[in-house]
Amino acid sequence: MSRANEALDTPLGRVDAYLTGLNLAPARKRELRESVTAAAPTTAADAIERLYEALTADHDEGAEAGLAARIEAAYPRLAQRRHAVGGGGYRGASMPRLNRWSMSPANMDRRPWRFLGRIMPSIERRRRLPKAVPSRLRNIVRLRQFFLFFLVALPAAGATFYMLTTLPHQGRSALEVVILALGALLFAWILVGFWTAMAGFLVLWGGDKYLISADESAPADDHARTAIVMPIYEEDVSRTFAGLAAIYESLEATGRLGEFDFFVLSDSVKPDTIAAEERAWAETCRSLGAFDRLFYRRRRARVKRKSGNLADFCRRWGGHYRYMIVLDADSLMIGSTLTAMVDRMQANPSAGLIQTPPTAVNRSSFLSRVQQFATRVYGRMFAAGLHYWHLDNAHYWGHNAIIRIAPFMAHCALPRLPGRGALSGEILSHDFVEAALMRRAGWGVYIAYDLPGSYEEVPPTLIDELGRDRRWCQGNIQHLRLLFSDNLAPAHRALFANGVMAYTSAAIWFVFLVLSSSEAVLEALKTPDYFPSPGALFPSWPVWQPIWAVSLFCATLVVLFLPKILGMAMIIARGQQKDFGGVGNLIGSTLIEIVLTSLLAPVRMLSHTLFVFTTLIGKQVKWNSQQRADARVPWLTAIRFHLPGMVLAVVWGTVLYIYTPGFFPWLLPILVPLFFAPVVTVITSRVDIGVWMRRNGLELIPEEWNPPAELRRVIEIEAETAEADFADIVVDPSLSALHVGLQGSPRRLDPGVASYRDELALRALNEGPHGLNAREQRDLLADPQRLDWLHRALWSADVLPDWVAERLQRHSALTSVTASAV
């Protein structure tokens, strides 16, 4: 068998490799090597035994002396923190001291119980709900939302009446009544978006006195401790910790780092991800000197996903802090933005939550660049419009927001929805519900639409975007069960309905198109009845007014696209067009975005319709990690994904062309994108097209023209982040000790479980870690004693397995390259 490095099998060669893995200072490394050399070991096992003795010479931890010595050698600041914190070992040292608070699920109910309560008062007493605390801006909010209602209802009614005149029977058939009802819902839906954008345009242009702001003259409050909390699950580890490091450095530059602590709350379960997270956390803490400020915890039980992870944090450590800033794994926030959020909370004691509107950045595929452009040009306008209509009854999007912890813990723990099926169980889209509960308790929920420096990343491909939408769809449709809960603010009932409509509107649109097509085909097939009423003296002629239909279509296009044009016009009016590549490129980018959005709309419609249907029939969806890095979609994958829609487009179009060729052209804007969806999906996933567009100033945003230092820093740190996998936990002296230490105290096992894990450790020794499947690797990772035994047994072997030798040689080469680069 070939050897990667025969020197590893000599006693001192084995010692040198082990010392390299501990990342010791040169003087300490020489001292330990000389100590082993003086003992004149004759075998590799003897050499490793002498090295452990030298490492533990000054330690009195007994059986854990070897572990403590390795961690102290690799991560001395963590070892110091362990001694300062006291109990809990290294697992306790990776987090602050506990400060437990209770957090009971909020009492939410549905209005039908109120009627039962009137008949049976005992039920009413048992199910009594908290009274909603009125908003201090209640009258302003009601006036604005009353105004919005008429702005939506009157044009929607007018458009529906106008559509009535274009139908052959002017609504006298049951089919046309249904078509009109669906059309009215669709008109109302797009008008809500239109008037939100219009309000945002006016607010951005003229300002709003109700914008939540900070008192610049107020002194800083040293007691306003803030936790920056990032729940993660199977994320890109290097990007996650690079973003955290960039935020840390940016916050440090403000001079207010002492007010903040950072928490990485992991729910990851894959062995390779666990290894990568632990190494990235320890290396990030070591490079920043942040073991006492950047904390890491991986839950053993993934209860209630992200909302459960945040609730678990609040119960354990929420008592240390006044606020928490919630981030996603792809979030990035500038230090001055973080301090501004805290200052605004300090200046507004009635504020419970402040949401920032994040801008999409850092992606290069065609689709993601278009989405980044859209969020930058139109996104802030929509956020300002939401603020205008809702004021202190606003949205919470689950990340890039600051929350007052005490009321969040007292009022916002989520209950489990009773029953079975997809609309029961854990509340998935938790953010809207938490905002509603915060508002019900009397705390304001605001959108700080004027705060810059808040960023996120978007899915790189259409397939990844639709996968995310599938998860969000089930969560949003759950809100149907909460829509009529007692004592919620009307604004949040509207937001629940808005969240439901975000996906059911696609199904409504699909059914509307199917019924319209059905009526056109039926009119072509059936024999006209010009005297539907017995004894009628004059015929009743079917009426088709193509000019009116065209007018209605054009009016709909204006409602859909005017906000985009106004967003572009505002940039030009303010002289900011240079940051978007100039006037010509800004106009071209807007047109590209409009065309691409139009092409993707039918594809999203069909997918969202399927999501709604599968959710309503009770099919559960797995909430897995998101694809965040750029990745091109293969042609076969795209065709397989879109094949049902392509077949539907061909059949639908053929039927219309044969039976009603006059109606066929009206459906081409729907059928053509459905048929060519694989082409659009593949092209929009391409990074080379996105890069070409950036070079030519198309879909350009200011963060690319003049990127903030934090965005550049993320890329730099990510390139320097070392990877790790399950085998590294077995082999690497530093990572192995860290992982074993983070598991906490040894646990007593059932004899059967102990025997099973002994067998796993022995098999990993003989066959290598990849001889175990993922579940077996997880079981072994949870056993610190057997992992430590496996680590020492490997290093004490007379001949290192080839996979170990190759890994050590690769690690040594990477270390040399990094050192030379530094």
Side-chain angles (χ1 to χ4, degrees), residues 623-669:
W623 281 52
N624 297 320
S625 59
Q626 299 183 33
Q627 169 68 33
R628 303 190 190 274
D630 291 318
R632 184 171 176 175
V633 177
W635 279 102
L636 185 59
T637 301
I639 292 173
R640 187 183 298 118
F641 184 85
H642 293 292
L643 186 59
M646 297 170 67
V647 173
L648 175 64
V650 171
V651 173
W652 195 349
T654 301
V655 171
L656 290 179
Y657 184 78
I658 292 174
Y659 293 103
T660 175
F663 189 73
F664 173 71
W666 288 89
L667 265 293
L668 283 179

Side-chain angles (χ1 to χ4, degrees), residues 82-136:
R82 177 211 178 191
H83 294 301
V85 171
Y90 293 102
R91 182 174 178 84
S94 67
M95 298 297 286
R97 291 181 183 274
L98 291 175
N99 188 350
R100 292 189 179 275
W101 283 16
S102 63
M103 189 173 179
S104 302
N107 193 357
M108 297 189 72
D109 212 333
R110 295 179 298 281
R111 285 190 180 275
W113 285 104
R114 303 290 288 175
F115 298 108
L116 289 178
R118 292 172 189 156
I119 302 172
M120 294 177 286
S122 59
I123 293 181
E124 171 64 15
R125 283 195 297 272
R126 279 200 305 272
R127 309 186 68 89
R128 185 167 294 150
L129 301 176
K131 287 288 291 183
V133 179
S135 163
R136 65 184 182 86

Side-chain angles (χ1 to χ4, degrees), residues 39 139 169 478 483 501 669:
N139 293 334
H169 302 286
Q478 272 187 328
L483 190 59
M501 279 294 292

Side-chain angles (χ1 to χ4, degrees), residues 469-743:
D469 287 351
R470 173 67 185 93
R471 297 187 293 271
W472 287 1
C473 176
Q474 180 173 331
N476 281 23
I477 292 181
Q478 272 187 328
H479 294 164
L480 282 170
R481 297 194 60 180
L482 304 174
L483 190 59
F484 300 105
S485 295
D486 280 331
N487 300 337
L488 295 182
H492 279 107
R493 297 190 198 280
L495 291 177
F496 281 165
N498 186 74
V500 173
M501 279 294 292
Y503 293 97
T504 56
S505 61
I508 293 172
W509 185 22
F510 178 75
V511 174
F512 174 81
L513 294 174
V514 169
L515 294 182
S516 300
S517 301
S518 300
E519 181 175 47
V521 172
L522 290 174
E523 288 297 319
L525 290 177
K526 73 178 183 180
T527 302
D529 182 6
Y530 300 116
F531 296 92
S533 301
L537 298 177
F538 301 99
S540 175
W541 304 103
V543 179
W544 168 243
Q545 298 289 352
I547 300 299
W548 293 359
V550 169
S551 301
L552 185 60
F553 177 73
C554 292
T556 304
L557 292 181
V558 170
V559 171
L560 289 173
F561 297 128
L562 180 60
K564 300 176 184 284
I565 297 171
L566 288 177
M568 176 187 65
M570 181 180 293
I571 291 172
I572 297 174
R574 291 181 170 178
Q576 299 171 342
Q577 63 272 14
K578 183 180 178 181
D579 294 336
F580 295 85
V583 174
N585 282 336
L586 176 60
I587 295 174
S589 299
T590 303
L591 292 176
I592 290 173
E593 192 274 334
I594 289 174
V595 171
L596 183 60
T597 301
S598 302
L599 289 174
L600 294 178
V603 182
R604 288 168 172 154
M605 171 199 71
L606 188 60
S607 296
H608 290 180
T609 300
L610 179 63
F611 299 161
V612 171
F613 174 75
T614 55
T615 297
L616 292 178
I617 64 174
K619 184 177 180 180
Q620 294 281 355
V621 61
K622 293 183 178 180
W623 281 52
N624 297 320
S625 59
Q626 299 183 33
Q627 169 68 33
R628 303 190 190 274
D630 291 318
R632 184 171 176 175
V633 177
W635 279 102
L636 185 59
T637 301
I639 292 173
R640 187 183 298 118
F641 184 85
H642 293 292
L643 186 59
M646 297 170 67
V647 173
L648 175 64
V650 171
V651 173
W652 195 349
T654 301
V655 171
L656 290 179
Y657 184 78
I658 292 174
Y659 293 103
T660 175
F663 189 73
F664 173 71
W666 288 89
L667 265 293
L668 283 179
I670 305 297
L671 302 178
V672 170
L674 287 176
F675 184 76
F676 288 102
V679 178
V680 176
T681 297
V682 171
I683 290 176
T684 55
S685 73
R686 290 180 55 175
V687 173
D688 56 341
I689 296 178
V691 172
W692 178 88
M693 295 171 72
R694 180 188 296 142
R695 289 173 180 168
N696 289 273
L698 291 172
E699 307 301 321
L700 194 68
I701 60 176
E703 286 73 15
E704 294 173 314
W705 181 266
N706 183 24
E710 289 79 3
L711 292 181
R712 297 195 301 268
R713 189 68 181 126
V714 168
I715 297 172
E716 295 170 0
I717 298 173
E718 187 175 5
E720 300 169 358
T721 303
E723 298 180 354
D725 57 17
F726 171 75
D728 284 314
I729 289 182
V730 175
V731 174
D732 185 87
S734 301
L735 184 58
S736 176
L738 177 68
H739 176 80
V740 170
L742 291 179
Q743 299 314 297

Side-chain angles (χ1 to χ4, degrees), residues 81 85-88 91-102 263 265 295-297 311-321 409:
R81 176 168 173 77
V85 171
R91 182 174 178 84
S94 67
M95 298 297 286
R97 291 181 183 274
L98 291 175
N99 188 350
R100 292 189 179 275
W101 283 16
S102 63
F263 291 81
L265 307 174
F295 303 112
Y296 170 81
R297 176 177 185 258
D312 189 66
F313 160 79
C314 289
R315 292 188 186 99
R316 292 171 179 267
W317 299 285
H320 290 302
Y321 305 97
M409 293 181 65

